[in-house]
Structure formats: C-alpha cells, structure tokens
C-alpha cells in the first residue's frame, strides 16, 4: 500500500490519438506528451474516460500505456485509468500499470455498488499495488455515487488518499469530504473540464484532473491561486470561462478536444472511435470563434500567453 502522495496542480487527462484509419497513433502520443509538458502541467493522466479506454483492446491499452510512460521518461508523473467489472479485473489493470511504470492509478467505481462494496473494492486495489490509488468519482458517466462518508473512510482506513471528484454540486461535496476526512487523509482534485476550478480551489482542492485542451489556462489559474494571488486567479478564470464552458459540452466534448489538439499541432488527426459524437462544420466554426473571443489562437504552436 502506497504512502500518502505529495500531489497537486494540473494533471491533464489525455486523449488517445488515433490515425484516420482509427489505429492507435503512437507518433501522436509522443508529440502530445511534448506539447502538454510545454504548457506547464504537473502530470499526465491517461486511459480515462476521455482516453477512450473502453474502446481499446487489451493489447492497445498496453501499447498506449507503454508509449506514454516511455516518452514522458519521468519528466512528470503519469497516472493511469482503471475500469473493470469486478475487483479482480481492476487489480489486474492496476498491477499492469504499476509494472509498466505508472506513478498512480485512478479507478472508476464498480457499477451499481453500495457503500460496503465500494470500500472493499478500493481497499483491495490499494492493497494490491505499491503506487497510489485515486478514486474517480464521476456518477454522471459511471452511474455509481460515492458518498463522502465512504471517501472519508477510505482515507482513514482503506489506504486511498486521493479523489478526482466530479459530482456536482462540487463545492458542497468537497467541503463535506474535508470535514469528514481531514486534509491529511484525503487530497481532492477537481475535474469537469475546469468548469468549477476556481470554486474547487476555494473549497480546498489541491488541483484538477481534466482534459481541457488549453491546459495552460488551468496552470495559470492554479499558479496564481497557489501563490496567494486569489484575485488574479479569479480574473484569469473569468476571462476564459466562455471557452471552458463551450469545450465541456456533454456528448461532444471529446470531439471538441481532439479537434483543438489537432489544430494546435499536438496530434495528427482528431479521429475518435464509435460510439462518439463528431463535430460538424458549424460546430467547428463556433469553437474557433470562441477561441478567438478570449484572445487565443488555434494555430499550431506551443504554450500560449495567458492573461487576465
């Protein structure tokens, strides 16, 4: 069982790049890693819901994991998603991630599990590996609610000390988890595309794990807030809210993010596997107009200047 990790900041949930024939594109994985590190993120999170984990074969999952870890080469931590139908499958995925060099795993809950089973599940995964286990709390996608009481108990008794918390209203749940668990037992990361990042930080979150395709914006918000410039963090958040809101649209968010990454030169193709909603020309034009409205560009290039 791993010790409580010293983790904070912006962990980008990475898409899995495919080529136009829908094969895994390892060259684009490598270029995406380099692109993201230039934006200043704290770490990378792969094979999550945004990473289309459920659309990959076991061999492809291993290929993606190996390529991300090898090319990152320890420059930042790499956290790997786990999603299985039972405890044994989750342990198998977590151990594979550990063996291939992952620094942590973030595990989706079991389907329709109650409090007792959720506790046993996460504790069993944590007991089975030496790297940290992060709870992935996203009931809108996974259909399972993880109550604050279960989260707190896992922090106190289960060897699980981090949560990626994505159940609105996020502010109240963050406060309740902190009240029950204490900051030493449970570190809280936000998500949801950065939609509530400012409020998450104000309530005590230590960072965010999300797939927003302009991560330098989130980095700027976090760095200002962590340095004590709370007004500056709020000003950056307010300026770029239209883009954060537009990109985090249900059903089509993955397509928007892949489109942005392709236009920014990070990946070669914005292809995604079925099932998944594609964008049409009108949507692409709306997205590009929103990017321009907040003073950014979709031209290929590295980190863009972020200001309030």
């Amino acid at each position: 069982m791993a010790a409580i990790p010293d983790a904070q900041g912006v962990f980008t949930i990475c898409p899995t790049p495919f080529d136009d024939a829908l094969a895994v594109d390892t060259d684009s994985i490598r270029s995406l890693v380099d692109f993201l590190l230039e934006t200043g993120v704290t770490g990378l999170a792969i094979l999550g819901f945004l990473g289309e984990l459920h659309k990959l074969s076991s061999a492809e999952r291993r290929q993606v994991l190996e390529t991300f870890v090898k090319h990152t080469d320890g420059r930042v931590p790499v956290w790997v998603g786990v999603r299985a139908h039972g405890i044994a499958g989750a342990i198998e995925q977590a151990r594979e991630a550990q063996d291939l060099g992952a620094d942590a795993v973030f595990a989706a809950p079991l389907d329709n599990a109650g409090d007792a089973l959720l506790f046993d599940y996460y504790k069993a995964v944590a007991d089975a590996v030496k790297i940290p286990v992060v709870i992935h709390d996203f009931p809108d996608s996974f259909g399972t609610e993880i109550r604050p009481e279960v989260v707190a108990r896992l922090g106190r008794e289960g060897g699980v000390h981090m949560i990626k918390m994505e159940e609105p209203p996020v502010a109240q749940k963050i406060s309740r988890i902190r009240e029950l668990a204490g900051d030493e037992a449970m570190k809280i990361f936000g998500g949801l595309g950065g939609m509530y990042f400012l409020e998450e930080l104000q309530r005590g979150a230590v960072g965010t794990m999300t797939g927003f395709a302009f991560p330098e914006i989130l980095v700027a918000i976090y760095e200002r807030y962590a340095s004590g410039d709370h007004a500056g963090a709020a000003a950056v958040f307010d300026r770029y809210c239209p883009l954060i809101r537009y990109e985090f649209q249900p059903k089509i968010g993955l397509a928007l993010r892949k489109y942005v990454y392709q236009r920014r030169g990070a990946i070669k193709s914005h292809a995604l596997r079925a099932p998944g909603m594609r964008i049409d020309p009108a949507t692409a034009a709306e997205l590009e107009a929103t990017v321009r409205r907040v003073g950014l560009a979709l031209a290929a290039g590295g980190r863009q200047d972020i200001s309030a």
Side-chain angles (χ1 to χ4, degrees):
M1 186 183 297
I4 299 176
D6 181 20
Q8 57 189 9
V10 176
F11 281 69
T12 288
I13 303 280
C14 303
T16 297
F18 301 118
D19 61 24
D20 289 337
L22 299 181
V24 171
D25 182 356
T26 53
D27 286 341
S28 283
I29 290 177
R30 288 184 277 268
S31 61
L32 177 63
V33 168
D34 293 338
F35 176 89
L36 289 170
L37 294 189
E38 188 177 346
T39 68
V41 298
T42 306
L44 306 178
I46 66 171
L47 295 173
F49 198 77
L50 179 71
E52 298 179 81
L53 167 63
H54 53 302
K55 305 175 189 176
L56 300 175
S57 69
S58 296
E60 287 174 329
R61 172 191 166 86
R62 185 181 182 94
Q63 178 188 30
V64 169
L65 202 166
E66 287 180 322
T67 307
F68 267 106
V69 169
K70 183 177 180 179
H71 193 71
T72 303
D73 194 26
R75 289 178 285 175
V76 297
V78 177
W79 295 0
V80 177
V82 167
R83 189 179 185 191
H85 293 297
I87 294 175
I91 288 174
E92 180 180 60
Q93 291 181 22
R95 284 177 171 165
E96 178 186 57
Q98 174 180 264
D99 293 345
L100 293 177
D103 297 282
V105 293
F106 56 103
L110 298 178
D111 292 345
N112 302 311
D115 291 355
L117 179 54
L118 285 169
F119 177 84
D120 291 345
Y121 162 67
Y122 280 107
K123 185 178 187 304
V125 176
D127 287 342
V129 294
K130 297 178 181 179
I131 57 177
V133 173
V134 184
I135 302 164
H136 190 178
D137 179 24
F138 194 4
D140 282 354
S141 287
F142 300 136
T144 301
E145 180 183 357
I146 308 174
R147 298 192 308 118
E149 290 77 9
V150 177
V151 176
R153 186 183 172 206
L154 283 165
R156 296 191 308 264
E157 307 170 22
V160 179
H161 302 291
M162 292 192 290
I163 181 171
K164 170 178 162 62
M165 212 287 293
E166 301 187 282
E167 182 184 2
V170 295
Q172 288 90 330
K173 189 166 183 178
I174 289 172
S175 292
R176 182 60 174 160
I177 292 171
R178 294 183 68 207
E179 176 187 347
L180 293 170
D183 293 338
E184 295 303 316
M186 186 60 62
K187 291 187 173 185
I188 303 169
F189 285 81
L192 295 174
M195 287 273 290
Y196 308 103
F197 190 28
L198 182 65
E199 291 79 13
E200 290 162 352
L201 292 172
Q202 290 169 341
R203 290 288 183 127
V206 300
T208 188
M209 290 175 63
T210 194
F212 183 48
F214 281 91
E216 57 265 56
I217 294 173
L218 303 180
V219 171
I221 293 168
Y222 175 78
E223 289 178 345
R224 284 164 172 77
Y225 197 91
S227 72
D229 182 11
H230 296 181
V236 173
F237 179 80
D238 290 345
R239 172 170 180 172
Y240 296 102
C241 257
L243 179 56
I244 293 171
R245 176 195 67 87
Y246 191 88
E247 195 193 276
F248 191 66
Q249 292 187 62
K251 299 182 181 180
I252 203 170
L254 172 60
L256 294 171
R257 287 166 174 171
K258 282 195 163 185
Y259 180 84
V260 171
Y261 277 128
Q262 185 205 22
R263 289 293 311 277
R264 298 192 72 189
I267 60 178
K268 295 176 185 175
S269 171
H270 62 267
L272 64 155
R273 288 181 176 174
M277 183 178 291
R278 275 70 172 171
I279 61 174
D280 57 17
T283 303
E286 287 175 351
L287 172 61
E288 294 183 18
T290 304
V291 171
R292 291 193 299 270
R293 197 165 85 237
V294 298
L296 298 175
L298 278 178
R303 179 173 179 164
Q304 297 190 34
D305 293 332
I306 304 301
S307 59

